[in-house]
Amino acid sequence: MIANVYRTHHCNELRPDHIGETVTLTGWINTVRDQGGVIFVDLRDREGITQVVFRSEESPEAAALSHKLRDEDVLRVSGKVVQRLEGTANEKLATGAIEIVAQVAEVLNKAAVLPFQLDTELSNEDLRLKYRYLDLRRPRMNKNLRTRHRIVKATRDYLDEAGFVEVETPILSKSTPEGARDFLVPARLNPGKFYALPQAPQQYKQLLMVAGLEKYFQIARCFRDEDLRADRQPEFTQVDIEASFVTEEDIYALVEGLVASMFKAGRGVDIPTPFLRMTWKEAMDRFGSDKPDTRFGNEIVDLGDVFAKTEFKIFRGTFDKGGVVRAINAKGFACLTTGQMNRLNEIAIQAGLPVKTLAFIKCENGEYKSPLWKFFTEEEKAGLVAKMAIEEGDIVFFVAGEWESTSTILGRVRLEIADMQGITKDTEKLNFLWVIDFPLLGYSEEDGKWNAVHHPFTRPKAEDIPLLEAGEYAKVRAVAYDVVLNGTELGGGSLRIHESDLQAKMFEVLGVTGEEQHEMFGHILEAFQYGAPPHGGLALGLDRIIMLAAGEDSIREVIAFPKNNRGQELMTMSPGSVDFKQLRDLYVQSTFKPKEKVAETGVEGVK
Amino acid sequence: MIANVYRTHHCNELRPDHIGETVTLTGWINTVRDQGGVIFVDLRDREGITQVVFRSEESPEAAALSHKLRDEDVLRVSGKVVQRLEGTANEKLATGAIEIVAQVAEVLNKAAVLPFQLDTELSNEDLRLKYRYLDLRRPRMNKNLRTRHRIVKATRDYLDEAGFVEVETPILSKSTPEGARDFLVPARLNPGKFYALPQAPQQYKQLLMVAGLEKYFQIARCFRDEDLRADRQPEFTQVDIEASFVTEEDIYALVEGLVASMFKAGRGVDIPTPFLRMTWKEAMDRFGSDKPDTRFGNEIVDLGDVFAKTEFKIFRGTFDKGGVVRAINAKGFACLTTGQMNRLNEIAIQAGLPVKTLAFIKCENGEYKSPLWKFFTEEEKAGLVAKMAIEEGDIVFFVAGEWESTSTILGRVRLEIADMQGITKDTEKLNFLWVIDFPLLGYSEEDGKWNAVHHPFTRPKAEDIPLLEAGEYAKVRAVAYDVVLNGTELGGGSLRIHESDLQAKMFEVLGVTGEEQHEMFGHILEAFQYGAPPHGGLALGLDRIIMLAAGEDSIREVIAFPKNNRGQELMTMSPGSVDFKQLRDLYVQSTFKPKEKVAETGVEGVK
């Protein structure tokens, strides 16, 4: 588009066809080499690299300048395209057959010595983030930013084509009393009041359905003020979608096409659709997870029939309490180290194992080794070996207890073993699936009441509404769905309740009083009285999808200026201190008093 | 894209070709009419309206249901497409030749009586904003949202095509000590510190140039905590652009193509390019504005030659002090009312007129009327009439004084008269132009120093650098440009300084000390040492462009959920009160104590 005095070509463009042409290139000096007094420069721009040679017989001025060139100087050079000497072509480089003989060269800006080399991987992520503007010069990071752009473009093109309208909803919005912790913004013009940054545009998108937009989407920035765990960001981006007059089948088809177009744009692969579907029940039963990784087996097996008549006290007691005995066979993993065994026990305990070690049976040198083996009858042993298909070198882990927690523990152990075996590193295999029919409600022992698993507007399945009315809350399934790739949740959503009587019933079950309803959801409940259409939607975690499409293992690699796990952006050193006067104007003051410094300087961080 | 059980067609699709087909439509009841016991419904979806008739001979059930239908009920109806009876076709409606005879009808949701009618214009904007989800159902507002989507899509398509990469920069960023007031966000994980919401991604975009991205854009949400004037929003959206290795000519060509594609998408018109260019000096001289509205004449005329030898004390004194005497001829406006005259005086005083009334000469019934007429010689009178081309019915306004303020006063008066004459209401004429060569520096009497007119990274024109070095700051022009439409600034930008010595000189002129530089711009100045490319860019006010393309006169008409001029979003009642505990977790407390309520309830707004 832009005709340019700085260049006739980009640094990836020149080929033997161009030999004899005079061209101008501009970019950064990637490397500079002195070969017997002749300077060779690899000039880099965002598209690629071209070799430039400075010969004094061609231009004494350019040759003189070339001796002063340093890495990362910004250089404009004009010269003739020539074939490289026999045997010096670089086949790894798109432009490797040619080089430029400099006629006119100009340093547009000098570069100081960099704090790190761009061609080596840095393990110090803080240093990378502090000098992010240099880190992003690496071809891999440049590629990631551009992959992100292409995926986002493909997302918008696809949704536009499907009739969806992008609407920007407010960032300065209202604090909602549920969900994660909000970031707050003092509202100077409304003293004592606060805006909140949105955790998601959930209410706005539903209100846009009431407004008759029918098909909405937004690539939306969202915010959660949570303690940051690995690979969480306080601000993140989601592809937010809502549609009226649709069934869940419409959503599945739409999202499958969308995700396929994102991976096509990001990675050039064709994703087969439709995706596999699995009920939440089956996912938990077979994989002990609501986001099963189906790239590998080692599925959970129920041993109820094998041990139906067992005398072994622990199993017997479990069965008598309505529990289950379940196991996974970690094929070929009997050779695990003590360290790995300890790690698996740790994982299992974190996941809820009520004892200190995982029960196991391993088969080594034709022998079955297990602390439990002696408690089983011959019939049970034979049944177990057959059911679990135990072979030489296998190790089977057992858990006994309540179905969901037993499945969850085994699911975590299964995943950890796959990590240990390096199976989860395979980013070529792309196992997409839908997990559907999530439970609508979950009982919280802590709160002593039933809570919405998704949110209070999630729709129960039509055939389960009688169960809701009969008070069989645990059995009620929602029209809620997650899309999962290789054990990672890419996103999820639901159809919503649009009828006020059903919504009232839902609030009754959740124990939300009329006053609380008004306080928390007043405007949306009022809106729903004026002809709310049947509607539903979904949100996809964009950063994570880009990460997976780019084959990266951290979302920070696909975000231009991410924050570290202390919530800091190290390049600009944000967050920062602010002036006392700024806070006074906002009718707030800091209450933070650092223990050590308070005596000296008063309130730290407020100057 | 979505195959749908709710509809076979949208409500704008059916034509005589479809007669005889059985179709399903879903939407809202726009109107319901009882014609001799037969119910006719105009069913509306987001695409249009179709008439449905309920005949008991076709379906007694549907006919029975039809008598209970009310405005804005959500209805799904299946039936046969038939030709309307002779003489009942509605030519204003795309589907006006046909109607649907209902066979099966189902109310998907009932609507309560609406707080206002959708088919009448409401002057109470607060009511519209409170029920925004109903307000947005109006076809005009639905159209505006979809026009916005199309313009934004065209923007992205155009910039993508031109090689620009969209990058999301942080919303949780760092407070900058200059510019407008920041919105602040307490950073819980960094007690006592605050994020700021970005006023613009200025520093990030320049750092992306250092990072070698070469062409960046973003449709970026920006925030300014200013006292809200008419048609300002605390959060707004800009098209943010930055490119390396470009000249201002490249930017002009890029942006002209972009703006043309935005208006093509929004309004279907072809905008001729290139745009007219005018230096800031000329714009001020002829129009008294840095964003001249060239849809009409009445330009400012300098009367220096006419009154060169004048004995009239006021003019003489002005000339002797190096000032100017300038005037505009408001063609045909001699008939203005006293009220209008008072308003013009008011405008002129606001703009800096040091006396209480504007001097004028009007020509009515062949006579020149003016308080000043008697002070002029015959030669001056003749010269004036000739120079200003005064004709019957004209009125000429004079101002004497310093060039810039004189021009500004006349510029404001010129615009106000055009408003009074209704000229500025013409949204069909689209006069685009560039204002270029802005001054680099402006002297602030208040600060007693020179400030950057744009920002401290703005590049001086190469030929004016000697003036900068000679201390002739007022004469130094910047490579800065604004794109203007019909007197409205659509956006602006500049080429930036990328050389550290020139930047140091600039800071010296601005009186920014080394310590302040480090504090305010440390990371960007450091970044610039490592090979910053020549670069420049621009930002366009997206909301305003969409408003102008849509022919609206307020940006609130093209924003889904705008805030009112108290910074409130009335639908969700944001900002709101927050829990004391939320604030405590953030290490802040409210200092607001409303005078009346403090005794009763403690701190208002914090419960």
Side-chain angles (χ1 to χ4, degrees):
Chain A
M1 195 75 210
I2 290 184
N4 201 295
V5 301
Y6 284 98
R7 56 167 62 113
T8 56
H9 296 79
H10 272 285
C11 289
N12 64 335
E13 285 185 85
L14 298 170
R15 297 287 182 281
D17 282 352
H18 298 91
I19 286 168
E21 287 182 28
T22 297
V23 299
T24 300
L25 302 179
T26 299
W28 287 262
I29 293 187
N30 201 57
T31 54
V32 48
R33 297 186 307 284
D34 185 333
Q35 290 187 359
V38 177
I39 298 295
F40 287 79
V41 157
D42 275 357
L43 192 68
R44 183 192 74 236
D45 67 12
R46 75 169 195 180
E47 305 296 345
I49 283 178
T50 300
Q51 181 166 291
V52 181
V53 55
F54 294 82
R55 299 191 187 281
S56 53
E57 59 271 29
E58 183 71 30
S59 164
E61 296 80 9
L65 177 97
S66 72
H67 288 280
K68 296 180 202 144
L69 296 176
R70 295 289 172 265
D71 284 1
E72 301 302 317
D73 284 350
V74 183
L75 182 75
R76 169 163 56 188
V77 62
S78 295
K80 201 161 272 180
V81 183
V82 303
Q83 183 144 30
R84 292 204 196 179
L85 290 180
E86 185 81 28
T88 65
N90 180 347
E91 293 190 358
K92 287 186 199 154
L93 208 60
T95 61
I98 59 90
E99 62 191 8
I100 312 298
V101 183
Q103 290 165 334
V104 183
E106 182 189 354
V107 173
L108 300 175
N109 215 354
K110 289 295 294 176
V113 174
L114 266 52
F116 51 80
Q117 290 296 311
L118 297 187
D119 55 1
T120 51
E121 286 297 315
L122 265 188
S123 58
N124 182 342
E125 194 178 15
D126 277 359
L127 193 63
R128 290 180 57 198
L129 293 178
K130 177 170 181 204
Y131 295 101
R132 189 63 159 182
Y133 47 83
L134 298 178
D135 191 43
L136 291 175
R137 276 191 199 167
R138 302 166 191 273
R140 173 178 138 225
M141 296 306 288
N142 178 300
K143 178 169 161 285
N144 284 352
L145 287 186
R146 297 176 77 178
T147 298
R148 183 176 183 116
H149 168 74
R150 279 204 316 279
I151 291 175
V152 171
K153 183 76 170 56
T155 301
R156 288 194 161 98
D157 289 348
Y158 176 91
L159 289 169
D160 174 70
E161 185 65 29
F164 283 74
V165 176
E166 186 162 23
V167 177
E168 294 182 67
T169 56
I171 296 280
L172 292 170
S173 58
K174 194 183 181 183
S175 185
T176 47
E178 51 163 30
R181 190 185 283 109
D182 285 320
F183 282 105
L184 296 181
V185 184
R188 186 179 54 87
L189 296 178
N190 298 268
K193 305 238 169 164
F194 292 79
Y195 300 104
L197 304 184
Q199 296 182 27
Q202 183 64 36
Q203 297 200 10
Y204 286 113
K205 74 176 176 178
Q206 292 195 243
L207 289 163
L208 283 169
M209 294 304 103
V210 179
L213 193 73
E214 298 194 15
K215 291 177 185 173
Y216 146 91
F217 83 101
Q218 186 180 192
I219 310 251
R221 203 73 64 87
C222 303
F223 304 84
R224 284 186 198 165
D225 187 10
E226 293 180 332
D227 295 332
L228 298 174
R229 295 192 306 231
D231 231 25
R232 279 273 186 86
Q233 288 282 311
E235 59 180 303
F236 56 96
T237 305
Q238 72 184 34
V239 182
D240 198 44
I241 294 173
E242 194 82 7
S244 296
F245 309 127
V246 292
T247 63
E248 60 271 40
E249 292 296 335
D250 299 320
I251 306 261
Y252 298 157
L254 177 83
V255 173
E256 286 166 359
L258 171 59
V259 170
S261 74
M262 294 170 91
F263 273 79
K264 182 77 181 176
R267 199 191 262 210
V269 293
D270 289 301
I271 303 295
T273 58
F275 297 165
L276 185 75
R277 291 184 202 172
M278 198 181 284
T279 64
W280 175 82
K281 190 93 174 34
E282 181 183 352
M284 290 302 296
D285 213 49
R286 291 174 52 194
F287 301 96
S289 168
D290 59 5
K291 38 181 190 283
D293 190 337
T294 60
R295 283 175 296 176
F296 56 97
N298 297 357
E299 291 186 21
I300 300 171
V301 175
D302 195 281
L303 297 175
D305 51 355
V306 173
F307 293 106
K309 298 178 210 152
T310 191
E311 302 286 310
F312 176 47
K313 270 191 194 164
I314 298 175
F315 289 3
R316 187 74 269 153
T318 301
F319 289 136
D320 290 348
K321 280 186 286 187
V324 295
V325 175
R326 320 197 77 209
I328 56 168
N329 182 351
K331 299 296 292 178
F333 201 56
C335 55
L336 82 174
T337 64
T338 309
Q340 287 175 320
M341 189 67 225
N342 292 343
R343 173 77 188 136
L344 292 180
N345 284 327
E346 206 178 287
I347 290 286
I349 291 165
Q350 279 172 15
L353 185 73
V355 293
K356 282 189 184 164
T357 55
L358 276 165
F360 67 88
I361 289 173
K362 61 181 173 183
C363 178
E364 277 182 321
N365 307 318
E367 265 182 70
Y368 296 98
K369 299 178 190 165
S370 166
L372 299 183
W373 201 242
K374 59 184 174 207
F375 298 112
F376 300 160
T377 65
E378 288 310 311
E379 194 185 347
E380 286 162 1
K381 287 176 185 171
L384 179 66
V385 169
K387 182 101 187 199
M388 300 303 301
I390 308 177
E391 297 174 308
E392 175 66 22
D394 291 353
I395 180 165
V396 169
F397 294 98
F398 290 82
V399 179
E402 184 270 326
W403 171 79
E404 190 170 338
S405 70
T406 296
S407 304
T408 301
I409 294 163
L410 287 170
R412 297 272 180 86
V413 170
R414 173 180 175 272
L415 273 184
E416 185 68 23
I417 291 169
D419 278 346
M420 289 171 175
Q421 293 179 317
I423 293 171
T424 49
K425 287 223 171 68
D426 174 11
T427 57
E428 289 306 306
K429 213 183 242 182
L430 296 171
N431 283 22
F432 290 93
L433 59 88
W434 286 104
V435 176
I436 62 172
D437 293 356
F438 274 82
L440 182 71
L441 297 155
Y443 189 77
S444 162
E445 297 289 348
E446 200 182 323
D447 303 345
K449 69 184 203 61
W450 291 90
N451 289 330
V453 169
H454 278 71
H455 59 64
F457 301 104
T458 303
R459 187 168 194 78
K461 290 192 80 150
E463 59 265 43
D464 292 357
I465 290 178
L467 292 169
L468 187 69
E469 278 160 5
E472 304 234 41
Y473 301 145
K475 292 187 186 163
V476 181
R477 293 164 301 168
V479 191
Y481 32 76
D482 277 1
V483 58
V484 171
L485 168 60
N486 294 355
T488 299
E489 181 197 326
L490 302 185
S494 64
L495 296 192
R496 326 297 183 186
I497 299 170
H498 62 272
E499 310 94 324
S500 45
D501 49 351
L502 186 55
Q503 189 66 61
K505 174 70 195 169
M506 187 69 182
F507 279 131
E508 182 198 316
V509 172
L510 296 173
V512 179
T513 67
E515 199 183 330
E516 285 166 336
Q517 286 176 36
H518 180 76
E519 173 91 2
M520 289 156 71
F521 307 110
H523 54 281
I524 198 163
L525 293 177
E526 185 178 9
F528 275 22
Q529 294 170 15
Y530 299 118
H535 63 287
L538 160 141
L540 296 171
L542 182 65
D543 304 303
R544 195 163 296 161
I545 290 177
I546 294 165
M547 172 189 86
L548 291 166
E552 291 285 358
D553 60 4
S554 158
I555 57 171
R556 291 187 299 278
E557 304 296 351
V558 298
I559 295 174
F561 302 104
K563 293 184 175 61
N564 68 14
N565 61 9
R566 281 104 60 210
Q568 298 160 333
E569 195 266 89
L570 297 175
M571 185 181 68
T572 61
M573 271 316 295
S574 127
S577 303
V578 299
D579 207 288
F580 167 74
K581 226 163 56 55
Q582 280 180 278
L583 296 183
R584 193 189 56 197
D585 288 352
L586 301 175
Y587 301 93
V588 292
Q589 62 188 29
S590 177
T591 61
F592 178 65
K593 292 178 177 51
K595 276 174 195 153
E596 289 176 25
K597 293 199 176 174
V598 68
E600 279 170 56
T601 60
V603 178
E604 161 74 352
V606 178
K607 54 179 178 163
Chain B
M1 195 74 211
I2 290 186
N4 202 299
V5 302
Y6 284 98
R7 55 167 65 112
T8 56
H9 297 78
H10 272 286
C11 289
N12 64 335
E13 285 186 83
L14 298 171
R15 297 287 182 280
D17 282 352
H18 297 91
I19 286 168
E21 286 181 29
T22 298
V23 299
T24 301
L25 302 179
T26 299
W28 287 262
I29 293 186
N30 200 58
T31 54
V32 49
R33 300 186 306 283
D34 186 333
Q35 290 188 0
V38 177
I39 299 295
F40 287 80
V41 157
D42 275 356
L43 193 68
R44 184 193 74 237
D45 66 12
R46 76 169 195 181
E47 304 295 346
I49 282 177
T50 299
Q51 180 167 291
V52 181
V53 56
F54 294 82
R55 299 193 187 281
S56 53
E57 59 271 32
E58 183 71 30
S59 164
E61 296 80 9
L65 177 98
S66 73
H67 287 279
K68 296 179 201 147
L69 296 176
R70 295 289 171 267
D71 284 0
E72 300 303 316
D73 285 350
V74 183
L75 182 75
R76 169 165 56 188
V77 63
S78 296
K80 203 161 270 181
V81 184
V82 303
Q83 184 144 30
R84 291 205 196 178
L85 289 180
E86 186 82 25
T88 64
N90 179 348
E91 294 189 359
K92 286 186 199 156
L93 208 60
T95 60
I98 58 91
E99 62 191 9
I100 311 298
V101 184
Q103 289 165 335
V104 183
E106 181 189 355
V107 174
L108 299 176
N109 215 353
K110 290 294 294 176
V113 174
L114 265 51
F116 51 80
Q117 289 296 311
L118 297 187
D119 56 0
T120 51
E121 286 296 316
L122 266 189
S123 59
N124 182 342
E125 194 179 15
D126 276 359
L127 193 62
R128 289 179 57 197
L129 293 178
K130 179 172 179 201
Y131 295 100
R132 189 62 160 182
Y133 47 83
L134 297 177
D135 191 45
L136 291 176
R137 277 191 199 166
R138 301 166 190 274
R140 173 178 139 227
M141 297 305 287
N142 177 300
K143 178 168 162 287
N144 284 351
L145 287 186
R146 296 176 76 177
T147 298
R148 183 175 184 116
H149 168 74
R150 278 203 317 279
I151 291 175
V152 171
K153 183 75 169 58
T155 301
R156 288 196 161 96
D157 289 348
Y158 176 89
L159 289 169
D160 174 69
E161 185 65 28
F164 283 74
V165 176
E166 186 162 25
V167 177
E168 295 181 65
T169 56
I171 297 281
L172 292 171
S173 57
K174 195 184 181 181
S175 186
T176 48
E178 53 163 30
R181 193 184 281 108
D182 285 318
F183 283 105
L184 296 181
V185 184
R188 186 178 54 87
L189 295 179
N190 298 268
K193 305 240 169 161
F194 293 80
Y195 299 105
L197 305 184
Q199 297 183 27
Q202 182 65 34
Q203 296 201 12
Y204 286 113
K205 74 177 175 177
Q206 292 194 244
L207 288 163
L208 283 169
M209 294 303 103
V210 179
L213 194 73
E214 297 194 14
K215 292 177 183 172
Y216 146 92
F217 84 102
Q218 185 180 192
I219 311 252
R221 204 74 65 85
C222 303
F223 305 84
R224 283 186 200 165
D225 188 10
E226 293 179 333
D227 295 333
L228 298 174
R229 296 191 307 231
D231 230 25
R232 278 274 186 87
Q233 287 282 312
E235 60 181 302
F236 57 96
T237 304
Q238 72 183 34
V239 182
D240 197 45
I241 294 173
E242 194 82 7
S244 296
F245 310 126
V246 292
T247 64
E248 61 271 41
E249 291 297 334
D250 298 320
I251 305 262
Y252 299 157
L254 177 83
V255 173
E256 286 166 359
L258 172 59
V259 170
S261 74
M262 294 170 91
F263 273 79
K264 182 75 181 177
R267 198 190 261 209
V269 295
D270 289 302
I271 304 296
T273 59
F275 298 165
L276 185 75
R277 291 183 202 173
M278 197 179 284
T279 64
W280 175 83
K281 190 91 176 32
E282 181 182 354
M284 290 302 296
D285 213 49
R286 291 173 53 193
F287 301 96
S289 168
D290 58 6
K291 38 181 191 282
D293 190 339
T294 60
R295 283 175 297 177
F296 56 98
N298 298 357
E299 289 186 24
I300 301 170
V301 175
D302 196 281
L303 298 174
D305 52 355
V306 173
F307 293 108
K309 298 178 211 150
T310 191
E311 303 285 311
F312 176 47
K313 270 191 194 163
I314 297 174
F315 289 4
R316 188 73 270 152
T318 301
F319 290 137
D320 290 347
K321 281 186 288 187
V324 295
V325 175
R326 323 197 75 209
I328 56 168
N329 182 350
K331 298 297 291 179
F333 200 56
C335 54
L336 83 173
T337 65
T338 311
Q340 288 176 318
M341 188 67 224
N342 292 343
R343 173 76 187 134
L344 292 180
N345 285 327
E346 205 177 291
I347 290 285
I349 291 164
Q350 279 172 14
L353 186 72
V355 294
K356 282 190 184 162
T357 55
L358 276 164
F360 68 88
I361 289 172
K362 59 182 174 182
C363 178
E364 278 181 321
N365 308 320
E367 263 181 73
Y368 296 99
K369 299 179 190 164
S370 165
L372 299 183
W373 202 240
K374 60 186 172 204
F375 298 112
F376 301 160
T377 65
E378 288 311 311
E379 194 184 349
E380 285 164 358
K381 286 176 184 169
L384 180 65
V385 169
K387 182 101 187 199
M388 298 303 302
I390 307 176
E391 297 172 310
E392 175 66 25
D394 291 353
I395 179 166
V396 169
F397 295 98
F398 290 84
V399 180
E402 183 271 328
W403 171 80
E404 189 171 338
S405 72
T406 297
S407 304
T408 301
I409 294 163
L410 287 169
R412 297 271 180 87
V413 169
R414 173 179 175 273
L415 272 186
E416 185 67 23
I417 291 168
D419 277 346
M420 290 170 174
Q421 293 178 318
I423 294 171
T424 48
K425 286 222 171 69
D426 173 12
T427 58
E428 289 307 305
K429 214 182 240 182
L430 296 171
N431 283 22
F432 290 92
L433 60 87
W434 286 104
V435 177
I436 61 173
D437 293 356
F438 275 82
L440 182 71
L441 296 155
Y443 190 77
S444 163
E445 297 288 349
E446 200 181 327
D447 302 346
K449 68 184 203 63
W450 291 89
N451 291 330
V453 169
H454 278 72
H455 59 66
F457 301 103
T458 303
R459 188 169 193 78
K461 289 192 82 153
E463 59 265 45
D464 292 358
I465 290 178
L467 292 169
L468 188 69
E469 278 162 3
E472 303 237 42
Y473 301 145
K475 293 187 186 164
V476 182
R477 293 164 301 168
V479 191
Y481 32 77
D482 277 1
V483 59
V484 171
L485 167 61
N486 294 354
T488 298
E489 181 198 327
L490 301 185
S494 64
L495 297 192
R496 327 296 184 187
I497 299 170
H498 62 271
E499 309 93 324
S500 45
D501 51 350
L502 186 55
Q503 189 65 60
K505 175 70 195 170
M506 186 71 181
F507 280 131
E508 182 197 315
V509 173
L510 296 172
V512 179
T513 66
E515 199 185 331
E516 285 166 337
Q517 287 175 37
H518 180 76
E519 173 90 3
M520 290 158 72
F521 307 109
H523 54 282
I524 198 163
L525 293 177
E526 187 178 9
F528 276 22
Q529 295 171 14
Y530 299 118
H535 63 286
L538 161 141
L540 297 170
L542 181 65
D543 305 304
R544 194 163 295 161
I545 291 176
I546 294 166
M547 173 189 87
L548 292 166
E552 291 286 357
D553 61 4
S554 159
I555 57 170
R556 291 186 299 279
E557 305 295 350
V558 297
I559 295 174
F561 302 104
K563 294 185 174 62
N564 68 13
N565 60 10
R566 281 106 58 212
Q568 299 160 332
E569 194 266 89
L570 296 175
M571 184 181 69
T572 60
M573 272 315 295
S574 130
S577 303
V578 298
D579 207 287
F580 167 74
K581 225 161 57 54
Q582 280 179 278
L583 296 182
R584 193 189 55 193
D585 287 353
L586 301 175
Y587 301 94
V588 293
Q589 64 189 28
S590 178
T591 60
F592 178 64
K593 293 179 176 50
K595 277 174 195 152
E596 289 177 24
K597 294 203 175 172
V598 69
E600 276 171 57
T601 59
V603 177
E604 161 75 352
V606 178
K607 53 175 182 169

